[in-house]
Each structure stands twice: as structure tokens, then as C-alpha cells.
Amino acid sequence: MTHSSPLPLEGLRVIELGQLLAGPFCGQLLGDFGADVIKVEDPRHGDPMRQWGRERPYGKSLWWPVVARNKRSVTADLRVAEGQELVRKLLRDADVLIENFRPGTLEKWGLSPERLWEINPGLVITRVTGFGQTGPYAARAGYGSIGEAMGGIRYTTGDPDHPPARTGISLGDGLAAVFACIGTLVALRARDTTGHGQVVDAAIYEAVLAMMESLVPEWQVGGYQRERTGSVLPNVSPSNVYPTADDQSILIAANQDTVFRRLAACMGRDDLATDARFSTHADRGTHMDVLDEIISAWTLRFGAGELLDKLHDGGVPAGRIYRAQEMLADPQFVARKSIVTLMHPDFGEFAMQSVVPRLSGSPGTVRSIGPELGQHNLDVWGSELGLSSPEIEKLREAGII
């Protein structure tokens, strides 16, 4: 895709040393808004994300073109002094370094914050790990799933008569990346005042914990342990999935008092809004099961399309549960270009989610899909760092890039 107006992060240079998802998704978010994200990969295999994903047509990942979009790829072996020196040179004029290795790895490679600030005092160093840079667990290996478990979301996800479940995405990694991105932008704003960079320390378990609403004080103050409740939230009703005459499932969310009155009117049951069991939010939560039975009996009288028309006309939040095929066909997604399509050299038309959030004056764009391994070596190591062709070839032959 092309863009005509300047992107808000144009001129910002980000060096991404991370791999897999938590660090690279942070880089993707910055790249979406115009940052020049240079991804440094191992010259032998590259980021493992190049091979990840359930479906791999042509032996290639369908995940990589998304998480590596709007980035440039160079290669350097960070385990050897020559590769480390290349990255130090690259970081002299950079604004941000993103990494998600175990704590101590950068230090082992001679890329500690203190050493990097000697050559670039304004560098923001964003570090994404399972447990953070400090504390007794800092040195542990930490995947997103472990952070989800320790952060509380695994225990509360699923049906009460089954073991804790997981969502079907890498939620912990994604949340850590979003918070890392926020922290990076805050640190850049602080640099405008101080002139100095700082470390952004994003721990996966803390990113998950940050989303856990009032779970901690519910236990600490109220002595209440939040448990798994399947498709509903405790004491929030009606907000559930309801059946239709054509075997579809429609989600209706009408737990607020005013919205529940609108739902009762749609049902031709104004009496429900004044029924002592359902007249307040707390009452509806107490009698959730009875209310769900009443609503289900009503929704079963209609096909999904007719039911949704009634609910939408009545101002009641409701919708289908979408899969990818519904998203691609939905007029709201189409009108807002929520899914964009780029050309991939192997796959042809390649659809992926667009940039979030939307800015009215300087929106982000998806400008390119994930690059080939080392695709930009000549541009970066040669044109931008000034290495000659013989020097680049010598590094390549030695396996350093």
C-alpha cells in the first residue's frame, strides 16, 4: 500500500533484535505508524517465526508476513565480536532498541544499556521478557503461556467443570508487546525533556496481570476468588450466547439497566424490566440462569438474521461470533478496510488485519509484508553504514551476516 501524508513515526529508527512474538509484535506496532524498523536476524536460520504457524503453504509461514510487515531484514551473528560491532554501529544513530532475550543476554554480547548509552545517550532500550529484568524469577525462561498462567487469565478462562483453558491466540505475548510499545512511546516522550534514553522493562506476566480488572482486591479485600464461568462473567447479565431457530448462536450484551429495558421491549416483555428479579444490574446477576432461559426461549423463535435486525433496530448490542470468512465478507470490515490485502511473491493476494488504532490526521499503513532473510543487507550495511562490497562479501563468507 502507498501513503501520501507523512506517517507520525517517520524518522524514528528502531533496531529489533528480538525473535518470535513478544518483541517483534512491538516492532510491528511501531512500524505500522512509520518507524524504520530494522530487524537483525541470525544469518543461519533467521527468526523462528519464519517457520511458525499452523498452515505453511510452500513451506512458508503465514504468520511471518504479518508480524514482520513494514520492516527491513538484515543478518548478523550476535554471538561473535564482528556481529556485535556491526549492531553497535547501527545503534549509534538509532532511537529504539527492542529485544526479548533472557536478561543478561545483551550484556553477554557487549550490548548492555550502559555501554550502548556511551555511544548513544538518547537510546530507548525496550526489553520484553517473561518475568522482567529484576526479581528472583528474572533469569527463568518465560514463554507467553507461562505469563498467562501466572498473571491470572488462565485460571479464569474456560468452563468451571474443566481444567483452565487458553485462548486460541498468543495472548500473553501480544499484551506484553502492546504495553512495551506504550512504554517505548512514553520513554521517547520523556527523552524530549531529558535528552536521555531509558530501559522499558515489559514482563509478560505483569502485562497479563494489568488486564485482570478487580481480581486482586476481590480476594484481598472481599475474600472472593474469581473462578471459571464459561461464556459469562459473574453477576453480569444478560451477556451470553443465545440459540436461534436456524441453529446459529448470537451474542447479546444487555446488562446495563437502560439497555436491558430496550431488550425487554424488543421481546415484547416490558414486564421483565420491572420484575424484582431483573430490575437492577445486581438483581439480574443474581438470577442470571433464569433470565438466560427466558431470553433463549425468545431467541429460538427467530432465525439469526431476523433476530439481529430486531435487536439492532431496538438499540441492543448483539452480533454473530465471527471466523475469518465472516470477517472477510462483513460490510463493516470492508467499509473501514479493517482487513487489507497486499501482494506476496508466493501467495499472491495476502489478506491481514489493518493498523489499530486509527488516527484521523496521520493514520498508520501496511506498506510491505515481512521481508526475506537478509533482504536489506546491502542497503543497511552498505549504503547506510558505509561498508564496501568486498567487506560485505567477506562478512557473508565468514557467516557473520
Side-chain angles (χ1 to χ4, degrees), residues 83-133:
Q84 296 160 7
E85 182 59 26
L86 280 175
V87 170
R88 276 192 289 271
K89 290 179 180 178
L90 196 58
L91 289 167
R92 285 175 183 167
D93 299 316
D95 298 286
V96 178
L97 167 64
I98 299 173
E99 63 98 2
N100 63 325
F101 303 111
R102 279 202 208 184
T105 302
L106 284 191
E107 287 77 1
K108 182 177 64 176
W109 291 340
L111 301 172
S112 68
E114 292 73 22
R115 184 164 182 182
L116 295 178
W117 285 328
E118 290 176 1
I119 62 175
N120 183 352
L123 183 67
V124 171
I125 302 173
T126 299
R127 314 187 76 171
V128 189
T129 57
F131 303 102
Q133 299 296 313

Side-chain angles (χ1 to χ4, degrees), residues 262-298:
R262 294 201 293 266
L263 173 61
C266 282
M267 296 171 64
R269 292 291 308 274
D270 290 328
D271 60 296
L272 293 176
T274 56
D275 188 314
R277 297 172 298 173
F278 313 130
S279 58
T280 69
H281 178 81
D283 292 330
R284 290 190 296 278
T286 301
H287 300 95
M288 176 187 295
D289 293 342
V290 175
L291 183 55
D292 277 346
E293 288 180 7
I294 294 171
I295 296 171
S296 294
W298 175 71

Side-chain angles (χ1 to χ4, degrees), residues 346-358:
D346 295 314
F347 306 136
E349 290 190 353
F350 192 98
M352 67 177 77
Q353 53 270 44
S354 190
V355 178
V356 178
R358 295 167 183 270

